[in-house]
Amino acid sequence: MDSQSTGSRTSGNALERTGHRLADVVERWMPSPFLFAIILSYIVFLAGVLVEGAGPAEMVSYWFDGFWAFLTFAMQMALILMTGFVIAYHPRVNDALRRLTEVPSTAGGAVVMVAVFSMAIAWVHWGFSLILGAIFAREMGKTAAEKDIPVHYPLLCVAGYMGLGLTWHWGLSGSAPLLLATAGNAFIQQGVLESTVPPTKTIFSTYALALTVLSIVYASLMLYLLSPAAERAKSIHDYVDKSDLQSAEAATDGGERSDGARASSDLQSDGGTMESSPEAQLGAGPVAPAERIDNSRILGAIIALTGVLYVAYLFATRGLDALNLNVVNFGFLFIGLAIYTKPAVYRERFGDAATAAAGIVLLFPFFAGIQGMMNASGLSQTFAESMLAVSTQATFPVVAWLVGSMVNLFVPSGGGEWIVLGPSIISAAQELGVPVGQATIAYAVGDAHTNLLNPFWAIPLLAITGIKAREMFGYAIAMMLLLVPFLGAALYLVPY
């Protein structure tokens, strides 16, 4: 790569050099996400025995019981990954993303564009950001390599992850604020709250909106300053084999190429049924009715339209209250079919995306087991109450942020975490005269912040971008540390 390419820097600033050194250390020492989960499991096991006095057999029982708590959620996550993957890699959608990647002309500009895209989309819905941020980072990396722009690919991947690492829990799909706005929620049933807390007090409060805008600006600036100098920048080709990129492009092109052109490569056996279109087989003799049905654009369009119209009906009748993970998955599933039209081709693209979900299937039960030990043993509540006991009215938002940050390292599930910690945080806030909406947003900031250390939520991004956790998390950890003084000051100073 030419170190004098347009927009490159030939010497790095102090922040860039520090980030580069930290990235080197993390790349050498950080375990894989699977081993990370195992290490955390043992830490929580020992803490439950030593701090809460639980017996070893009890802790193993809590672990086993919790192990299965994420089965529904894991399937939801697998679907959101696979449906998003299939949609984003359709030629028309992928072309739109590629056109956006043509806009930046400098390395720093490319990183900032991916980050702003990821953080803004995450505010709308974390699921969108989880997939589109990863794919946008990958496509930006490919375009930068083609244009010889010295973008450091690991930092580009961190930029695509910033939505999950910063803004998602303050937005329209934030678990904690949405739960408070739900009629008859668990906190009302427990007597912690007398009534619901509307989104105007949380998501749409000037406090949350100001934090969101300021955080996006600050994080973008830090990412720009962290961008390695040209001589240290490594392109996507240093981390992903060109053959893998070409395979992905071939799969993308396959959705739009004529069936005749695909006949030689896409004739895959499925219980004796060929999956290429009838048109591709016209020269091979009569086409079975089943083949025509499998490749019927009319049938695919009817099914897709049914699903899409139902999603539209939900939003028309319920407004933004209809927005949840099941609706997103349902919508993605049928929008994908509407884009591809042919049921057989759509099924093939799902097959291409299936391997990306392997990490979710393996790791989610282990983190669910950690959550089971944390919650059942009382560790989560003990930690939260100990921290909140030393707070004052002025420092409470900062303390709530720290509580969310620390617990999220071990229980990276915003909704499950809030069910356990919420009563303690809300009760403490009410005793100190802190608005519940402010306390909730402060906690949500912490819950998102330490996603930049725990690779749990990065699993889909790792699958899509082709990078390893240890190759990108040095910069993710650098961003987490750089955000600490900013978030502490902002939570303390921004008025509610």
Side-chain angles (χ1 to χ4, degrees):
M1 181 178 294
D2 181 6
S3 64
Q4 302 300 322
S5 298
T6 302
S8 68
R9 298 196 306 275
T10 56
S11 60
N13 56 62
L15 187 60
E16 180 270 320
R17 292 192 296 273
T18 301
H20 184 76
R21 285 194 291 269
L22 178 60
D24 283 343
V25 172
V26 172
E27 186 169 350
R28 291 180 60 194
W29 290 98
M30 184 176 182
S32 69
F34 183 44
L35 185 56
F36 191 89
I38 293 173
I39 292 171
L40 287 182
S41 298
Y42 279 105
I43 291 174
V44 173
F45 172 84
L46 291 174
V49 173
L50 298 176
V51 177
E52 297 296 333
E58 281 184 296
M59 291 301 293
V60 173
S61 177
Y62 298 152
W63 180 68
F64 177 80
D65 292 340
F67 211 76
W68 315 111
F70 281 1
L71 289 182
T72 299
F73 188 49
M75 184 60 181
Q76 290 172 323
M77 288 300 302
L79 275 175
I80 204 168
L81 170 60
M82 293 170 69
T83 54
F85 194 101
V86 169
I87 291 172
Y89 273 109
H90 185 277
R92 294 192 185 95
V93 178
N94 196 244
D95 285 347
L97 288 175
R98 284 179 178 174
R99 282 194 291 272
L100 284 177
T101 66
E102 297 288 342
V103 175
S105 59
T106 67
V111 170
V112 169
M113 185 174 187
V114 171
V116 171
F117 176 87
S118 171
M119 289 185 284
I121 294 295
W123 189 88
V124 176
H125 197 281
W126 64 266
F128 294 157
S129 178
L130 185 68
I131 302 304
L132 293 179
I135 293 175
F136 194 36
R138 178 181 174 123
E139 294 305 311
M140 187 69 80
K142 289 160 61 178
T143 299
E146 292 167 3
K147 296 171 67 176
D148 201 28
I149 299 174
V151 178
H152 193 50
Y153 189 57
L155 187 62
L156 204 55
C157 293
V158 172
Y161 186 55
M162 284 305 300
L164 269 292
L166 192 58
T167 57
W168 82 269
H169 211 159
W170 322 348
L172 300 180
S173 63
S175 303
L178 288 183
L179 183 60
L180 294 188
T182 303
N185 63 66
F187 303 128
I188 294 176
Q189 294 175 7
Q190 295 172 30
V192 179
L193 289 174
E194 295 182 357
S195 61
T196 59
V197 179
T200 52
K201 300 290 187 181
T202 53
I203 298 169
F204 297 111
S205 66
T206 54
Y207 183 71
L209 294 175
L211 285 172
T212 301
V213 173
L214 291 172
S215 296
I216 290 176
V217 172
Y218 178 84
S220 298
L221 176 61
M222 292 300 102
L223 285 165
Y224 182 84
L225 294 175
L226 278 173
S227 296
E231 62 267 20
R232 284 196 286 268
K234 294 183 178 180
S235 77
I236 187 173
H237 298 309
D238 290 297
Y239 298 92
V240 185
D241 289 339
K242 290 185 178 181
S243 60
D244 292 338
L245 295 175
Q246 290 168 354
S247 296
E249 289 173 359
T252 300
D253 294 339
E256 284 293 289
R257 282 182 290 166
S258 67
D259 292 313
R262 297 178 58 215
S264 61
S265 60
D266 285 357
L267 293 178
Q268 298 177 359
S269 175
D270 186 6
T273 300
M274 307 298 283
E275 297 216 344
S276 62
S277 71
E279 294 85 354
Q281 301 180 58
L282 288 178
V287 179
E291 290 298 327
R292 295 191 181 277
I293 294 173
D294 283 346
N295 291 277
S296 171
R297 293 186 183 275
I298 294 175
L299 181 60
I302 291 173
I303 298 172
L305 185 61
T306 303
V308 171
L309 287 177
Y310 184 69
V311 172
Y313 167 77
L314 289 176
F315 281 103
T317 54
R318 302 182 189 175
L320 291 177
D321 290 341
L323 193 65
N324 59 44
L325 190 53
N326 287 334
V327 171
V328 170
N329 275 332
F330 189 84
F332 269 22
L333 189 67
F334 286 96
I335 289 171
L337 182 57
I339 293 174
Y340 283 91
T341 309
K342 293 184 178 182
V345 174
Y346 190 42
R347 193 207 68 80
E348 288 175 15
R349 297 288 78 80
F350 254 81
D352 297 335
T355 54
I360 289 174
V361 176
L362 176 62
L363 264 76
F364 270 46
F366 282 88
F367 277 103
I370 293 171
Q371 175 175 278
M373 289 190 290
M374 288 280 291
N375 294 347
S377 68
L379 273 173
S380 298
Q381 190 170 358
T382 296
F383 174 76
E385 291 176 350
S386 299
M387 290 286 289
L388 295 171
V390 300
S391 64
T392 65
Q393 185 180 53
T395 63
F396 186 88
V398 177
V399 174
W401 157 59
L402 293 175
V403 168
S405 296
M406 292 300 296
V407 176
N408 184 62
L409 289 177
F410 299 93
V411 189
S413 170
E417 206 177 301
W418 182 241
I419 289 291
V420 177
L421 300 182
S424 298
I425 292 174
I426 292 171
S427 297
Q430 291 171 330
E431 290 177 9
L432 292 172
V434 177
V436 172
Q438 182 182 19
T440 303
I441 290 299
Y443 153 81
V445 172
D447 175 70
H449 180 211
T450 44
N451 283 339
L452 291 169
L453 175 59
N454 191 328
F456 177 78
W457 286 111
I459 294 169
L461 179 137
L462 299 175
I464 291 170
T465 59
I467 201 168
K468 297 177 182 177
R470 61 184 176 83
E471 293 171 339
M472 65 166 274
F473 263 82
Y475 284 101
I477 294 171
M479 280 300 299
M480 183 190 72
L481 296 175
L482 288 170
L483 283 166
V484 168
F486 166 78
L487 291 175
L491 289 166
Y492 184 78
L493 297 173
V494 173
Y496 180 75

